[in-house]
Amino acid sequence: WQMAHKNKKSFPRSEINRNFAAETIQPNTMSEATLTSLLEYLYGALTPSNQRWLAAHLVEHANVEEGEALKPYTMKEVNAMLDEAEAEIAAGVGTPHEDVMREWDEEIACLEKGELIMAEAV
């Protein structure tokens, strides 16, 4: 590991690690020192691509652990959402496509002129 670490570009992450660890460590988990050491090792040992892969998998695992995992919609749910949207359109709720496109064109024209656009409160 030491050889790989010396050959990698090292970034000063110790302060970031301390702040991250202090805010996120839960009881009955790794100590701050252990977590910081693990992060330093991973920063030095993994390529940026591997770091992103690991991060995505850690987030996915944490979401599953906390019951927040994304689940695909069933066809029944998709059809219910479509039925609801079609009912809203029939009732005149929402913004017509033509108005959305006109507003979009106006926003693009303002951006091209360098004007700041403020969002409209709903």
Side-chain angles (χ1 to χ4, degrees):
W1 173 80
Q2 289 177 344
M3 191 66 149
H5 190 317
K6 287 179 183 176
N7 293 334
K8 298 273 183 180
K9 185 175 182 181
S10 181
F11 298 98
R13 299 178 187 268
S14 56
E15 186 63 32
I16 295 169
N17 293 343
R18 273 194 294 280
N19 292 338
F20 173 77
E23 294 172 8
T24 59
I25 291 181
Q26 301 296 318
N28 302 321
T29 62
M30 286 186 202
S31 70
E32 181 179 343
T34 302
L35 183 57
T36 300
S37 295
L38 176 60
L39 286 173
E40 287 294 335
Y41 170 76
L42 292 173
Y43 292 142
L46 298 176
T47 65
S49 176
N50 287 340
Q51 290 176 22
R52 284 187 291 276
W53 178 88
L54 179 61
H57 282 70
L58 288 171
V59 168
E60 183 179 327
H61 179 74
N63 288 342
V64 169
E65 289 285 316
E66 295 174 354
E68 297 178 14
L70 295 176
K71 297 175 188 163
Y73 291 115
T74 64
M75 283 307 297
K76 184 177 180 179
E77 291 170 321
V78 170
N79 287 329
M81 288 186 285
L82 289 171
D83 291 342
E84 181 181 351
E86 289 171 350
E88 288 176 356
I89 291 169
V93 176
T95 306
H97 173 75
E98 295 78 16
D99 292 347
V100 171
M101 295 308 295
R102 181 186 43 75
E103 291 172 11
W104 193 10
D105 288 340
E106 290 171 2
E107 288 181 23
I108 290 172
C110 288
L111 288 173
E112 288 173 349
K113 293 178 190 175
E115 297 175 6
L116 181 62
I117 301 169
M118 300 301 289
E120 183 179 318
V122 177

